[in-house]
Amino acid sequence: MSGTFDGRSGRQGKLSQWLRGRRPKEDVAGDGGREALLLAAAEAGLPLAPAAHPAPGYRCSCDRVGCPTPARHPVSFAWQTQSTIDRPQIERWARHQPQANFITATGMVHDVLDVPAQAGREALERLLAQGVEVGPVAESDDGRMLFFTLTRGTPEDEDEWWPCELDCHPETMAEHPGLRWHCRGSYVLVPPARLPGDDDQQVRWLRGPEHPLPEPLTLLESLTDACARHVAGEATADLDRPWPLRR
């Protein structure tokens, strides 16, 4: 998909629809489209491994009772060493596991800045309007947007490593509200992916993996500013609710 923001073809109208939150609903890619998208991600250097997929009744395909992250986790505990960009291996996985989602392991080649979708749309529109090289971006129907960047997971100075399990480190939550920085030891679903639910929820590319990975710090200020406004807006809306309905 083209990421050109100010072109005058039909691409601009479609991207504008996404950024305004009126994205046209798309079907899950068929088998051929799914495999092509996975191979494109691998060719861009994103290491992949098979993941669980949705099962009827908002359940996960794994055997775990009450899985806390249905259809959002790898199928193997060895996913970090299993993750690969090897085309024949990915083709075998895709063809032998036709329902499987796939994850991409972060902190090897790329990191992912994971933000609330509303904040992500605002930041994406601003960054593209400013001519910033954004890189690949995915959106999840569960309300998150994923910005793919070069990794900072193996810096020379180990104090610069930001562990993925914290929303922000060493900065405080107040400085980076709502932001998850997936780096070494983490993963995210890679499009195309299906999520549990009755309305065919998906993870899809807004800007495909053909876009070069940018340095994360070039996006961070816009993303954190948008996240702060998003959190402030939610807090204001919460105060406007009757007391029993406040969070």
mmCIF file of all heavy atoms in Angstrom, residues 55 57 67 172 239:
data_model
loop_
_atom_site.group_PDB
_atom_site.id
_atom_site.type_symbol
_atom_site.label_atom_id
_atom_site.label_comp_id
_atom_site.label_asym_id
_atom_site.label_seq_id
_atom_site.Cartn_x
_atom_site.Cartn_y
_atom_site.Cartn_z
ATOM 1 N N ALA A 55 -10.648 -19.063 18.128
ATOM 2 C CA ALA A 55 -11.533 -20.216 18.114
ATOM 3 C C ALA A 55 -12.934 -19.726 18.471
ATOM 4 O O ALA A 55 -13.086 -18.645 19.055
ATOM 5 C CB ALA A 55 -11.065 -21.276 19.113
ATOM 6 N N GLY A 57 -16.376 -18.680 20.111
ATOM 7 C CA GLY A 57 -16.720 -18.323 21.472
ATOM 8 C C GLY A 57 -15.685 -17.456 22.157
ATOM 9 O O GLY A 57 -15.485 -17.564 23.364
ATOM 10 N N CYS A 67 -7.227 -18.641 28.377
ATOM 11 C CA CYS A 67 -6.045 -17.972 27.837
ATOM 12 C C CYS A 67 -6.202 -16.454 27.967
ATOM 13 O O CYS A 67 -7.195 -15.891 27.495
ATOM 14 C CB CYS A 67 -5.854 -18.349 26.372
ATOM 15 S SG CYS A 67 -4.523 -17.455 25.539
ATOM 16 N N THR A 172 8.821 8.338 33.362
ATOM 17 C CA THR A 172 7.656 7.999 34.177
ATOM 18 C C THR A 172 6.440 7.794 33.297
ATOM 19 O O THR A 172 6.383 8.220 32.148
ATOM 20 C CB THR A 172 7.350 9.128 35.178
ATOM 21 O OG1 THR A 172 6.936 10.286 34.433
ATOM 22 C CG2 THR A 172 8.563 9.473 36.021
ATOM 23 N N LEU A 239 -14.510 12.406 33.963
ATOM 24 C CA LEU A 239 -15.028 13.312 34.985
ATOM 25 C C LEU A 239 -16.427 13.801 34.645
ATOM 26 O O LEU A 239 -17.198 14.172 35.534
ATOM 27 C CB LEU A 239 -14.085 14.511 35.143
ATOM 28 C CG LEU A 239 -12.730 14.206 35.797
ATOM 29 C CD1 LEU A 239 -11.844 15.437 35.761
ATOM 30 C CD2 LEU A 239 -12.914 13.714 37.233
#
